[in-house]
Amino acid sequence: MKRIVIILLAVSLATTGCEQDDFPFSMEGPFEMPGGQQTATNLKDPGLAWSTDSFEATIGTENTFPTLTNTYKVDVTYESSRPEVATIDENGIITLLASGTTMIKVSSASNGTYSASSVSYILTVISASTGEPEDDSLSFASTGDTSSDDDISTTSFKGKITITFSESGDASVKGDSYGYVTVDGNKVTVNNTGGEVLIYELTGTTSNGFFKVYGAKKQAIVLNGASITNPDGAALNNQNKKRTFIVVKGNNTLSDSASAGYVAEGEEDLKSVLFSEAQLIFSGSGLLTVNAMNKQGKSAIASDDYIRMMDSPTIKVNSGESAGHGFKGKDYVQLSNGSLVVSTAAALKKGISSDDYVLVEGGTHMVTVSGGVAYDEEDSEYSGTAGVKADNYFAMTGGSLTIKNTGNGGKGINAGSYDFDSENHTLSDSYITGGCLTVTTTGRESNDVSAKGIKIGWVTKSGSGDHAKVTGNAGKLVISGGTVVVNSAGGEGLEVKGDLIFDGGETYISSTSDDAINCQGDLTVNNGYVYAFSSQNDAMDSNGNTNLNGGYVMAICTKGNPEVAIDANTEEGKKLYINSGATLVAYGGLERGYSASQNVYGMSCTAGSWNALHNGKSFIAAFKVPGNISNVIVSAPSLSSGYKSVSVSGEAKCNGIWATEGISGGSTTTLSNYNGGNNGPGGGPGR
């Protein structure tokens, strides 16, 4: 049986604190979140910031690297996620070693005055030449998954055609013994009528051209120092409906223009600057920048099949204020490796979009969205933006994904739609088993479109407001590993329309305007570390049962009556269950009528320091409460005493909230019974 430890922090919002002598809460001091958002802590944000989110550096040339703002001159440490690409020393000096992508991160520890913080940017390293020496080989190294046909090494190519674009004349062609290539200035069209499996290598520069290919077999398009701008539409247009490998070498750019009309020939799709009718599989070790500047709502990169990133290319996408999505895979998007850096600015549009699922398996990825709400003519309703939009489900098993959405009505991740569910008669579970997911949303509700950090699933209701009745819902999320950090300034941090299950990992959710964590179904914690903070609503809210079976949970609610730290739908006969095995910290009271399998106590603690629970033989866990909190409510199997001001030498979990190893020292503090409800010791306003 898993050990459960329960720690409940409950406090009145009155600025004078709770009047009970045994539980004198103090709410003095600022409420700030790491990164500048509001939360219950008296520690200041240290003000760390890089001058950019991404940067390209060239080996062998002089580079002016991004600068770090360190407002309060706190001590910092530097880290490169891939030291084989670039290293950074203790003074912040970067050394470039090889082509590829790495994340440069700077971190500061909490020091009693300033909170712990970390900021990062993606560094792309490329070779000094615009391209690599010509390679006559017709084979490629493995891109990481030889069990799949998506690994280019499993494909046998028959020949290679090289196209060199030119600003001073017509594009030149080499290796076209088949007679497939037609050249009109720098407008190059390939019509592979023979069915050969070929490689097309593109190099050179043009400000008025494109590359377009027809075929019926697999193919590879090697971008080797190519810069192609088509002022009229797509710069790379793949009309071949078979698997297409995009191999990125050197520094490459594909662009349209603000005046691009995207006039189609016949019934051909023209959806993006880089468009493909077939599967797109990116690999290589170079940089590809795709700029969508059109005013037609056309995307930067889009496929009418799926898109997968493998190996270690860097794909940098910029989609303008009147353009479309950043990275759109109709069937699905699978990020297995490499680095995808997406920036979209248009209302309604998404950074990464799929009509089915989005899966992050590896690599380092960053999505920035700034567009707001607009009326969607296709759906006849107002809609907002999202960093990631998956009509079926979102999944993450590894790698790093950072999302920032500053648009009103914007979401970090929006997965699971009613339309997909009704069409396919099922909605798959979203899940996170590994990796590092960071989501920040700063927008507010607009035209009844709410901003949220992460939204999973759908719900339909009859009626309006608090009296609305749920008529249908779907969408489940299971978090069993990895690290999830969500900060939402204008809406719920994590909203799940089905059941929400924590089986492991570290999850840190904050909202300064709504529930931190909300689910329409049952909310269950079996294992892992969970932190939920809300300054305006419930910290953890379930419309079903809330089941705490294991793990370590801290729930902080500073709003006061009628909001609580942990809520369950008692109005419809549901309940909060505190069973044997979980560790909980709740601040702001519990839903009335909760059921606990072990005693619940009040405990005085030291604000801003490590405190601990002891079972008479050893420490159970240490916790660090935010703000000026001097009393908590605790519950744990075999709990015999509490300790103030302990020392922790072991690893701190969940952004420095919990520790289970290396606990020592401190002084004992008394425990007193807590009976629940609004008026119990430290119970706060409650419900």
Side-chain angles (χ1 to χ4, degrees):
M1 179 178 294
K2 297 178 180 176
R3 168 175 289 168
I4 298 182
V5 184
I6 310 288
I7 308 172
L8 306 178
L9 311 187
V11 14
S12 168
L13 279 187
T15 57
T16 57
C18 181
E19 296 299 323
Q20 301 175 41
D21 292 340
D22 291 339
F23 296 90
F25 286 93
S26 172
M27 293 298 294
E28 297 175 357
F31 292 2
E32 296 177 346
M33 280 286 299
Q37 295 196 46
Q38 188 179 20
T39 187
T41 178
N42 57 356
L43 301 181
K44 296 180 180 179
D45 187 301
L48 300 179
W50 289 108
S51 56
T52 184
D53 290 336
S54 62
F55 183 75
E56 296 106 44
T58 303
I59 296 175
T61 64
E62 185 174 348
N63 298 280
T64 303
F65 291 98
T67 56
L68 175 69
T69 297
N70 186 348
T71 305
Y72 298 105
K73 310 300 181 185
V74 297
D75 293 334
V76 298
T77 57
Y78 297 93
E79 177 186 356
S80 171
S81 65
R82 297 183 64 202
E84 69 273 18
V85 173
T87 60
I88 184 166
D89 66 16
E90 66 274 11
N91 298 311
I93 304 301
I94 291 177
T95 302
L96 306 180
L97 298 176
S99 296
T101 302
T102 183
M103 178 172 283
I104 301 298
K105 179 180 179 180
V106 62
S107 303
S108 66
S110 175
N111 62 7
T113 301
Y114 300 102
S115 61
S117 182
S118 65
V119 291
S120 58
Y121 72 89
I122 292 179
L123 172 64
T124 301
V125 181
I126 57 178
S127 59
S129 61
T130 57
E132 298 179 1
E134 185 174 347
D135 181 5
D136 292 329
S137 173
L138 300 181
S139 63
F140 296 87
S142 171
T143 52
D145 185 6
T146 53
S147 64
S148 168
D149 288 341
D150 289 341
D151 195 313
I152 193 172
S153 67
T154 65
T155 297
S156 298
F157 295 94
K158 184 176 181 180
K160 180 168 74 172
I161 299 174
T162 301
I163 295 99
T164 302
F165 294 92
S166 173
E167 287 284 39
S168 59
D170 294 347
S172 61
V173 180
K174 178 182 177 182
D176 181 25
S177 59
Y178 313 95
Y180 293 158
V181 183
T182 300
V183 176
D184 179 9
N186 281 278
K187 299 174 181 178
V188 179
T189 302
V190 175
N191 190 1
N192 184 343
T193 57
E196 291 85 1
V197 179
L198 298 179
I199 301 168
Y200 306 102
E201 184 161 353
L202 312 183
T203 187
T205 301
T206 178
S207 57
N208 187 18
F210 60 72
F211 178 75
K212 184 176 184 179
V213 58
Y214 297 91
K217 295 289 184 179
K218 290 191 292 185
Q219 61 188 6
I221 300 174
V222 178
L223 299 174
N224 189 3
S227 179
I228 305 171
T229 297
N230 182 2
D232 299 319
L236 197 162
N237 185 352
N238 177 39
Q239 292 294 317
N240 185 339
K241 294 186 179 181
K242 296 297 183 178
R243 180 179 282 105
T244 296
F245 301 98
I246 304 290
V247 182
V248 183
K249 296 183 178 181
N251 194 346
N252 304 269
T253 303
L254 301 175
S255 304
D256 62 7
S257 72
S259 61
Y262 281 85
V263 179
E265 295 182 11
E267 297 181 355
E268 289 181 2
D269 287 332
L270 288 177
K271 297 179 179 178
S272 59
V273 178
L274 193 170
F275 174 72
S276 178
E277 287 282 354
Q279 307 100 314
L280 281 179
I281 297 93
F282 289 94
S283 64
S285 59
L287 168 67
L288 170 61
T289 301
V290 181
N291 301 309
M293 298 178 286
N294 65 84
K295 297 181 180 180
Q296 306 294 323
K298 303 297 183 180
S299 299
I301 298 176
S303 168
D304 271 353
D305 209 289
Y306 66 79
I307 304 181
R308 185 175 182 183
M309 284 190 62
M310 303 181 70
D311 203 13
S312 57
T314 298
I315 312 299
K316 187 173 182 179
V317 171
N318 303 301
S319 186
E321 293 182 354
S322 299
H325 306 303
F327 199 78
K328 165 73 171 176
K330 183 178 180 181
D331 284 5
Y332 60 84
V333 173
Q334 185 173 355
L335 305 180
S336 301
N337 207 335
S339 179
L340 177 63
V341 183
V342 178
S343 176
T344 62
L348 300 176
K349 303 305 180 182
K350 287 44 174 180
I352 300 173
S353 178
S354 170
D355 291 352
D356 199 314
Y357 67 86
V358 173
L359 169 62
V360 181
E361 297 179 307
T364 303
H365 315 288
M366 183 177 295
V367 180
T368 304
V369 180
S370 59
V373 171
Y375 191 76
D376 189 334
E377 298 289 347
E378 183 177 347
D379 293 335
S380 300
E381 63 182 8
Y382 282 95
S383 183
T385 59
V388 172
K389 175 65 168 69
D391 285 348
N392 189 2
Y393 69 93
F394 170 83
M396 188 167 185
T397 62
S400 172
L401 174 61
T402 302
I403 300 171
K404 183 176 182 180
N405 191 335
T406 59
N408 285 334
K411 297 171 178 62
I413 295 174
N414 188 0
S417 73
Y418 174 83
D419 289 341
F420 183 94
D421 199 26
S422 61
E423 180 179 342
N424 294 275
H425 307 296
T426 183
L427 195 63
S428 300
D429 296 345
S430 291
Y431 59 91
I432 299 172
T433 64
C436 180
L437 173 63
T438 304
V439 177
T440 303
T441 57
T442 62
R444 302 285 174 173
E445 181 176 312
S446 176
N447 291 100
D448 293 327
V449 179
S450 57
K452 300 179 188 294
I454 299 176
K455 175 182 176 293
I456 304 295
W458 59 267
V459 64
T460 55
K461 293 183 178 182
S462 174
S464 60
D466 294 338
H467 301 289
K469 297 295 183 181
V470 173
T471 57
N473 66 295
K476 178 179 177 181
L477 173 64
V478 180
I479 299 176
S480 59
T483 300
V484 179
V485 178
V486 179
N487 292 308
S488 177
E492 289 166 325
L494 171 59
E495 181 188 51
V496 180
K497 297 304 187 181
D499 293 337
L500 172 59
I501 299 174
F502 295 95
D503 279 334
E506 300 178 35
T507 304
Y508 186 101
I509 311 290
S510 166
S511 171
T512 55
S513 65
D514 208 327
D515 296 336
I517 297 175
N518 176 282
C519 76
Q520 188 66 48
D522 289 340
L523 193 163
T524 302
V525 181
N526 295 319
N527 208 340
Y529 300 84
V530 181
Y531 175 84
F533 165 81
S534 175
S535 62
Q536 294 297 319
N537 223 326
D538 300 323
M540 300 175 69
D541 183 9
S542 170
N543 280 30
N545 293 310
T546 298
N547 304 294
L548 304 179
N549 303 321
Y552 302 83
V553 178
M554 183 182 287
I556 308 295
C557 169
T558 63
K559 174 65 174 176
N561 191 34
E563 314 308 337
V564 291
I566 303 180
D567 189 11
N569 191 3
T570 56
E571 294 85 354
E572 296 185 10
K574 305 299 183 180
K575 186 178 287 190
L576 164 62
Y577 293 93
I578 302 171
N579 301 315
S580 300
T583 304
L584 166 69
V585 174
Y587 180 96
L590 295 179
E591 180 75 12
R592 285 186 179 276
Y594 72 87
S595 173
S597 299
Q598 64 254 342
N599 293 328
V600 181
Y601 301 103
M603 169 185 159
S604 62
C605 65
T606 302
S609 297
W610 285 106
N611 302 273
L613 304 176
H614 201 276
N615 63 14
K617 296 181 180 180
S618 60
F619 286 109
I620 299 168
F623 60 91
K624 186 180 289 185
V625 295
N628 296 332
I629 297 170
S630 58
N631 288 273
V632 298
I633 300 169
V634 297
S635 180
S638 304
L639 176 62
S640 61
S641 61
Y643 275 70
K644 292 183 177 182
S645 302
V646 299
S647 297
V648 173
S649 60
E651 181 184 2
K653 299 288 189 178
C654 208
N655 209 18
I657 298 298
W658 288 105
T660 56
E661 298 178 349
I663 307 168
S664 62
S667 58
T668 59
T669 180
T670 58
L671 303 177
S672 58
N673 288 331
Y674 171 73
N675 297 317
N678 295 4
N679 302 313
R687 273 188 181 172

